[in-house]
Amino acid sequence: MRDWNDFERTRVTSDKDVCGTDLAPARLTVGIVSAGRVGSVLGAALERAGHVVFGVSAISDASIRRAETRLPDSRILLAEEVAARSELLLLAVPDSELAGLVAGLAAARAVRPGTIVVHTSGANGVGILAPLTALGTLPLAIHPAMTFTGHDEDAARLANACFGVTAADDIGYAIAQALVIEMGGEPVRVSEENRTLYHAALAHGSNHLVTLVVDAVEALRAALAGPGLLGQQVIDDQPNGLAERMLAPLASAALDNALRRGPAALTGPVARGDVPAVAAHLTALESLDPRLAAGYRALSLRSAERARSNPALFDLLEGPRLGGQARRRQRSVTTEGSEQPKEGN
């Protein structure tokens, strides 16, 4: 196996030495376990960077199809065979399966010393790779902060993604940084002890956003049901319909404003402290779906806390039992002084 100090110097510094002579960056023999939504996309990105994905582990029909489509020159092999021949071993299995896979490969001594072992789990750092690290491998956690659907847009989205990287030492960080840059992403250092918080933040901001939008679409479909204007699209339960088109510009603008302006982007009845409007919303949503109304109530409460809103709004959202606590909390935060946004829908 190669000297990773030489690898790091070659890949991170320059394509030419001080005399202007071309340096051939190290190219790696890559194996992937498994060829799912993430592994197949990252494998294709590594191949575009000049590495050779010789083999993949793929069990399900969907994984086999992805391997054949995205990595047509790669052989489909058992996980142990992939691990044994890899210089860069990419473990792209679900979080719940990672520890078992690592333990199994270590017990079988399937991975050679000097192998770069990368996992793509957001919630884990390099500690979970300890059984393989003990065999002399170089452990890396490289997590693309992106959602993967299994469709063609995944590859394009990868180019705009940040990657949370964790390594055991500076050489590891340099190698991880180089690999991410080669795949077209932006590497971001995440400490071992903060991986769970990092993953929770991303899940909260992406997975829960899907639930929020789907709930809003459901309510909007109900609000728009019935006779429409001449030529208006019929309201149904199919995706990408009129409700989605109506919500899309507003949701996109709200997301853009939040990322650009932070809490100051918060507008609407909760930010204004409009108790009658929020109460009416809750009544309407309760009649449609109590579960949807519960989600609205929870998010409205968090928005009210962010906006330091009207104490009476806390009473409405928390209920009589917690109303006094809400008022005391509100008085304590408003004494800090902050002008609240009043405009917006």
Side-chain angles (χ1 to χ4, degrees):
M1 302 300 287
R2 63 187 74 238
D3 183 333
W4 298 119
N5 286 284
D6 291 340
F7 174 94
E8 176 256 326
R9 284 194 294 270
T10 302
R11 299 186 70 76
V12 176
T13 54
S14 172
D15 289 339
K16 295 180 180 293
D17 65 14
V18 292
C19 299
T21 304
D22 285 334
L23 296 173
R27 295 302 163 194
L28 297 170
T29 301
V30 181
I32 301 175
V33 182
S34 67
R37 296 177 181 180
V38 178
S40 59
V41 172
L42 297 188
L46 289 168
E47 283 203 328
R48 287 194 297 272
H51 301 289
V52 178
V53 180
F54 75 91
V56 299
S57 169
I59 298 176
S60 70
D61 291 342
S63 291
I64 292 172
R65 285 195 299 270
R66 290 190 194 99
E68 292 173 344
T69 301
R70 293 177 173 170
L71 302 166
D73 296 327
S74 303
R75 294 178 61 194
I76 297 177
L77 304 167
L78 295 175
E80 291 81 1
E81 295 178 281
V82 172
R85 294 176 51 187
S86 298
E87 291 180 316
L88 169 60
L89 176 61
L90 183 64
L91 306 180
V93 297
D95 291 3
S96 60
E97 299 177 16
L98 181 58
L101 173 63
V102 170
L105 292 176
R109 304 188 74 85
V111 185
R112 294 177 293 174
T115 303
I116 302 175
V117 180
V118 178
H119 76 68
T120 60
S121 166
N124 293 285
V126 295
I128 198 169
L129 297 175
L132 294 176
T133 306
L135 298 179
T137 66
L138 192 153
L140 299 177
I142 299 180
H143 171 252
M146 178 53 61
T147 181
F148 294 89
T149 64
H151 295 94
D152 292 340
E153 63 265 22
D154 289 346
R157 288 173 175 169
L158 194 67
N160 297 315
C162 292
F163 287 65
V165 301
T166 303
D169 53 33
D170 289 342
I171 291 176
Y173 275 112
I175 294 172
Q177 181 176 6
L179 290 171
V180 170
I181 290 172
E182 283 193 329
M183 288 187 285
E186 178 181 348
V188 179
R189 183 167 179 159
V190 182
S191 63
E192 179 81 11
E193 62 271 19
N194 286 336
R195 289 291 294 203
T196 300
L197 179 60
Y198 155 81
H199 192 236
L202 293 179
H204 190 42
S206 60
N207 305 148
H208 298 168
L209 179 62
V210 173
T211 301
L212 171 63
V213 169
V214 170
D215 273 356
V217 166
E218 179 183 325
L220 194 53
R221 285 173 178 163
L224 300 177
L229 297 174
L230 182 64
Q232 179 178 310
Q233 182 180 355
V234 174
I235 304 298
D236 55 29
D237 60 357
Q238 296 303 305
N240 201 30
L242 182 57
E244 287 86 345
R245 293 205 309 276
M246 178 173 282
L247 183 62
L250 178 61
S252 297
L255 177 59
D256 183 67
N257 288 341
L259 296 175
R260 290 175 182 269
R261 298 180 173 86
L266 189 59
T267 64
V270 171
R272 294 194 300 268
D274 189 340
V275 176
V278 175
H281 289 177
L282 287 170
T283 299
L285 292 171
E286 283 279 359
S287 66
L288 176 65
D289 186 341
R291 295 167 300 177
L292 200 158
Y296 178 94
R297 183 185 295 273
L299 286 174
S300 293
L301 179 58
R302 185 65 183 128
S303 298
E305 291 170 343
R306 282 284 186 190
R308 298 174 181 172
S309 192
N310 181 354
L313 188 58
F314 286 89
D315 293 344
L316 169 69
L317 296 170
E318 291 188 319
R321 185 174 63 86
L322 297 177
Q325 295 178 16
R327 285 190 289 273
R328 286 192 294 273
R329 177 177 57 195
Q330 179 58 19
R331 281 196 294 271
S332 69
V333 295
T334 52
T335 56
E336 300 174 14
S338 128
E339 184 177 347
Q340 300 309 310
K342 300 297 181 182
E343 74 282 4
N345 298 318

